[in-house]
């Protein structure tokens, strides 16, 4: 098992390198290499590039949502994913049921519910539970604004748990938990490549940390321009992601 973080300039062949690895693995008789990219559009573009290379049966191109679904499927974890409209109306029902005071004049506005969705998405992507958020609000001796947001988050999570529901970010939590408890998930995957990201959430990092000890090869590519100090600011986001990956996976990036 090996984990590699590769860094190179933009448009220098990182994706082509990943595709060649996947094709070589398939032609050697190993199935199924997986390549994770940020969007479905990029996944389809990879499929076209594979076809132009002569094709390779068995190479899977995924987003992180697809990777999470594969892990949950392997764990045989039962869940019901909320669609965006259902999540909206669930949050609306939660906000109505709590009889908020600080936000009372905003509850009937769709923009307020959308902001609640964004807040909860960011908290969950950061692996911040409703309990830990509430404790942080209490420790800050925060005012009614944060206390009511903590109440909404806690009530929302209680509704999800009571019905066995999960939102999109919550599926990542389930996948990380499944990897903790089931040592067989992803065991022996020949290649997991992560290509084209400039940022990774704590949930995604936790998932990669768990998978790194299961798959035969984990390869992550990042963009940087180490030979061009004048562009340090432009690559600050990539370098922050690189540091987080190095700390999480305990591997130094290399050219």
């Amino acid at each position: 098992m090996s984990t590699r973080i590769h860094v190179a300039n933009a448009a220098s062949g990182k994706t082509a390198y990943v595709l060649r690895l996947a094709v070589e693995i398939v032609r050697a008789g190993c199935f199924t290499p997986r390549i994770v990219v940020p969007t479905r559009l990029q996944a389809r573009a990879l499929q076209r590039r594979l076809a132009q290379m002569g094709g390779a049966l068995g190479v899977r191109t995924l987003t992180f949502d697809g990777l999470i679904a594969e892990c949950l499927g392997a764990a045989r974890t039962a869940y019901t994913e909320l669609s965006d409209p259902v999540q909206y109306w669930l949050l609306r029902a939660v906000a109505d049921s709590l009889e908020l005071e600080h936000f009372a004049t905003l509850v009937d506005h769709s923009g307020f519910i959308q902001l609640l969705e964004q807040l909860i998405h960011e908290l969950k992507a950061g692996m911040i539970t409703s309990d830990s958020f509430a404790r942080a609000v209490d420790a800050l001796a925060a005012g009614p604004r944060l206390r009511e947001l903590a109440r909404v988050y806690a009530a929302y999570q209680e509704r999800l748990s009571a019905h066995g529901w999960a939102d999109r970010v919550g599926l990542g939590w389930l996948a990380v938990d499944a990897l903790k408890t089931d040592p067989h998930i992803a065991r022996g995957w020949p290649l997991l490549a992560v290509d084209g990201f400039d940022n990774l959430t704590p949930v995604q990092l936790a998932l990669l940390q768990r998978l790194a000890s299961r798959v035969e090869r984990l390869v992550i590519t990042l963009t940087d321009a180490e030979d061009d100090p004048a562009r340090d600011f432009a690559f600050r986001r990539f370098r922050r992601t690189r540091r987080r990956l190095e700390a999480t996976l305990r591997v130094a990036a290399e050219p």
Side-chain angles (χ1 to χ4, degrees):
M1 295 181 186
S2 68
T3 299
R4 309 286 288 274
I5 303 170
H6 290 301
V7 178
N9 291 329
S12 60
K14 296 183 296 297
T15 300
Y17 165 73
V18 166
L19 289 173
R20 285 196 302 271
L21 277 181
V23 170
E24 289 169 4
I25 285 171
V26 168
R27 290 176 180 172
C30 299
F31 295 91
T32 303
R34 291 161 175 84
I35 305 174
V36 180
V37 291
T39 68
R40 292 180 181 176
L41 183 63
Q42 287 167 285
R44 289 195 292 270
L46 281 190
Q47 291 169 359
R48 287 195 297 270
R49 290 182 65 173
L50 278 169
Q52 291 166 0
M53 295 169 63
L57 293 175
V59 177
R60 291 187 58 79
T61 57
L62 308 162
T63 61
F64 260 105
D65 287 346
L67 180 63
I68 286 167
E70 285 210 359
C71 291
L72 292 175
R76 298 182 180 179
T77 300
Y79 62 87
T80 301
E81 181 180 1
L82 294 186
S83 65
D84 291 340
V86 172
Q87 183 185 21
Y88 174 91
W89 287 110
L90 176 61
L91 271 171
R92 176 67 184 269
V94 167
D96 285 339
S97 70
L98 293 177
E99 298 182 356
L100 303 176
E101 296 180 7
H102 182 80
F103 292 111
T105 59
L106 299 178
V107 169
D108 291 335
H109 294 269
S110 61
F112 174 64
I113 304 302
Q114 290 168 353
L115 287 173
L116 288 177
E117 287 179 307
Q118 293 172 14
L119 171 68
I120 290 174
H121 182 279
E122 291 177 7
L123 289 170
K124 297 185 77 168
M127 300 198 77
I128 300 171
T129 66
S130 57
D131 288 342
S132 60
F133 183 59
R135 287 195 298 270
V137 169
D138 289 341
L140 289 169
R145 181 177 66 89
L146 286 180
R147 288 201 300 272
E148 288 194 352
L149 291 175
R151 288 177 60 204
V152 170
Y153 186 20
Y156 171 74
Q157 284 297 105
E158 287 172 4
R159 293 278 186 102
L160 293 184
S161 178
H163 295 284
W165 296 337
D167 53 30
R168 186 165 59 86
V169 183
L171 294 179
W173 288 17
L174 292 178
V176 172
D177 288 341
L179 286 165
K180 288 179 182 178
T181 56
D182 188 339
H184 302 294
I185 299 172
R187 182 71 64 186
W189 287 2
L191 173 69
L192 175 61
V194 179
D195 179 63
F197 288 84
D198 64 349
N199 185 47
L200 292 167
T201 69
V203 171
Q204 292 168 342
L205 288 170
L207 193 67
L208 291 177
Q209 183 182 39
R210 294 286 173 182
L211 289 169
S213 62
R214 314 284 183 90
V215 301
E216 295 297 328
R217 298 175 71 175
L218 172 61
V219 175
I220 301 169
T221 65
L222 293 174
T223 300
D224 204 342
E226 294 183 298
D227 56 348
D228 189 356
R231 301 177 68 188
D232 283 351
F233 180 80
F235 288 93
R236 182 172 59 180
R237 185 180 181 92
F238 290 99
R239 289 172 184 169
R240 182 170 63 244
T241 301
R242 170 180 172 171
R243 290 192 295 270
R244 289 174 177 169
L245 275 167
E246 289 176 326
T248 300
L249 301 178
R250 298 181 181 180
V251 173
E254 56 189 301

